[in-house]
């Protein structure tokens, strides 16, 4: 019997507003499009109530995952302890938010800032990140939560740019509830192939962002999705596969600048969500057919 992967979608497809109304609308739209999972950015707990999110998830019958990306001001690799403390606070809050909404996964750029570094990575910076993440991993484990370390391309972190580097980082971290979070957009930039990335990740592979080479609609860039589906099938991966694509017309200026998204990629989030799920299901169904 083949266990199909679980398909999810990033809430940012519908924008980054997470007021109670926006949360209800976004969660409802993801469920209506047919997804099993919605990835919710860790919200500012001072401004939004996790209870609203939990109730909307319950109402629409869709499971949550949580993600975040640290920034320069809360970089846990920094030599500045105030920045590290802010990062640890954000990670702690993200784990608490996940726990409150019933999520069992917190992923993203949790190991450094997401942004262009103007300095080389150092062993000391890596050790500072590991020290914080060991404490966060223990907190997460007590709540039954898995952490995902999402390595990103060279323009968005100086620390982890490949699956092999991430596996070595996880080995040094030594926490069984921390896995590798693979994003095809970043991997397509840095790896020799997506197959090589899957192979390097091995049984550490725990979460996937399905993201096109240009961050737009899946199937319209240079990533070979049939091949990727076949490679994941061969590797026996049955974890979540979450669509990550954004459009500048939807997410607003601040988020567009954060991500480096300088042009609109598509117009209608509901249409994008529905057709992309069909696209992925078709690819993964074909990959699961045994060849003679
Ligand atoms: Mn990603």
């Amino acid at each position: 019997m083949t266990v199909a992967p679980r398909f999810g979608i990033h809430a940012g497809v519908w924008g980054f507003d997470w007021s109670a109304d926006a949360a209800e609308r976004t969660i409802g739209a993801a469920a209506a499009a047919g997804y099993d999972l919605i990835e919710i950015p860790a919200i500012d707990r001072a401004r939004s109530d996790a209870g609203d999110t939990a109730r909307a998830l319950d109402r629409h019958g869709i499971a949550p995952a949580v993600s975040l990306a640290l920034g320069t001001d809360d970089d846990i690799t920094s030599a500045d302890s105030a920045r590290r403390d802010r990062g640890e606070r954000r990670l702690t809050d993200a784990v608490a938010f996940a726990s409150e909404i019933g999520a069992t996964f917190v992923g993203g750029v949790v190991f450094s800032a997401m942004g262009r570094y103007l300095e080389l990575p150092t062993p000391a910076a890596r050790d500072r990140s590991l020290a914080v993440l060991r404490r966060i991993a223990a907190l997460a484990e007590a709540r039954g939560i898995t952490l995902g370390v999402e390595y990103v391309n060279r323009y968005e972190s100086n620390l982890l740019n490949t699956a092999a580097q991430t596996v070595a980082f996880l080995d040094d971290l030594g926490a069984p509830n921390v896995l590798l979070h693979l994003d095809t957009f970043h991997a397509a930039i840095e790896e020799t192939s997506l197959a090589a990335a899957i192979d390097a990740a091995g049984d550490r592979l725990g979460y996937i962002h399905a993201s096109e080479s240009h961050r737009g609609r899946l199937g319209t860039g240079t990533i070979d999705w049939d091949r990727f589906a076949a490679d994941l099938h061969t590797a026996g991966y049955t974890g979540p596969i979450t669509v990550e694509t954004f459009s500048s017309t939807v997410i607003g200026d601040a988020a567009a600048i954060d991500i480096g998204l300088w042009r609109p990629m598509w117009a209608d989030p509901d249409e994008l969500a529905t057709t992309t799920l069909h696209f992925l299901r078709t690819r993964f169904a074909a990959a699961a057919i045994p060849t003679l």
Side-chain angles (χ1 to χ4, degrees), residues 150 181 183 186 209 215 244:
E150 182 183 10
H181 171 171
D183 180 310
H186 299 294
H209 273 165
R215 284 274 195 217
E244 187 176 42

Side-chain angles (χ1 to χ4, degrees), residues 17-270:
D17 176 15
W18 208 253
S19 60
D21 283 355
E24 162 64 27
R25 229 178 12 254
T26 302
I27 289 166
Y35 289 88
D36 304 314
L37 181 78
I38 181 166
E39 181 178 317
I40 301 172
I43 55 169
D44 180 347
R45 289 154 58 75
R47 289 170 49 191
S48 277
D49 175 17
D52 293 327
T53 299
R55 283 185 289 277
L57 289 163
D58 196 42
R59 197 154 44 238
H60 294 286
I62 185 169
V66 167
S67 64
L68 73 160
L70 298 175
T72 308
D73 284 343
D74 46 28
D75 182 354
I76 61 171
T77 71
S78 175
D80 173 357
S81 66
R83 284 173 203 243
R84 292 202 304 280
D85 289 349
R86 285 194 289 270
E88 185 158 356
R89 171 52 50 195
R90 270 195 74 199
L91 291 164
T92 302
D93 283 352
V95 168
F97 173 62
S99 183
E100 285 171 31
I101 66 171
T104 57
F105 179 83
V106 176
V109 188
V110 299
F111 57 91
S112 79
M114 186 183 80
R116 172 88 160 90
Y117 276 76
L118 299 174
E119 59 199 89
L120 295 172
T122 64
R126 186 177 183 274
D127 285 345
R128 289 190 286 264
S129 175
L130 285 167
V132 173
L133 284 177
R134 275 189 201 107
R135 293 192 288 273
I136 299 299
L139 277 180
E141 190 170 28
R143 291 169 172 77
I145 290 170
T146 300
L147 296 181
V149 173
E150 182 183 10
Y151 70 89
V152 291
N153 72 76
R154 64 190 67 188
Y155 304 109
E156 302 193 56
S157 176
N158 67 355
L159 188 59
L160 301 177
N161 303 139
T162 69
Q165 287 177 320
T166 307
V167 166
F169 185 81
L170 295 177
D171 283 345
D172 290 347
L173 187 65
N177 64 320
V178 187
L179 296 175
L180 186 147
H181 171 171
L182 175 78
D183 180 310
T184 51
F185 164 78
H186 299 294
I189 293 171
E190 299 291 351
E191 306 276 8
T192 55
S193 68
L194 293 182
I198 293 166
D199 194 44
D203 59 10
R204 286 283 188 34
L205 184 57
Y207 194 85
I208 291 175
H209 273 165
S211 191
E212 190 49 273
S213 53
H214 49 43
R215 284 274 195 217
R217 185 185 295 270
L218 301 197
T220 65
T222 59
I223 289 176
D224 182 343
W225 294 99
D226 287 315
R227 177 77 189 273
F228 184 60
D231 292 339
L232 285 176
H233 181 71
T234 302
Y237 179 78
T238 56
I241 298 176
T242 293
V243 175
E244 187 176 42
T245 172
F246 306 111
S247 191
S248 61
T249 48
V250 174
I251 60 177
D253 295 353
I257 291 166
D258 234 26
I259 299 166
L261 187 66
W262 311 119
R263 61 191 194 273
M265 304 306 292
W266 38 261
D268 179 349
D270 292 332

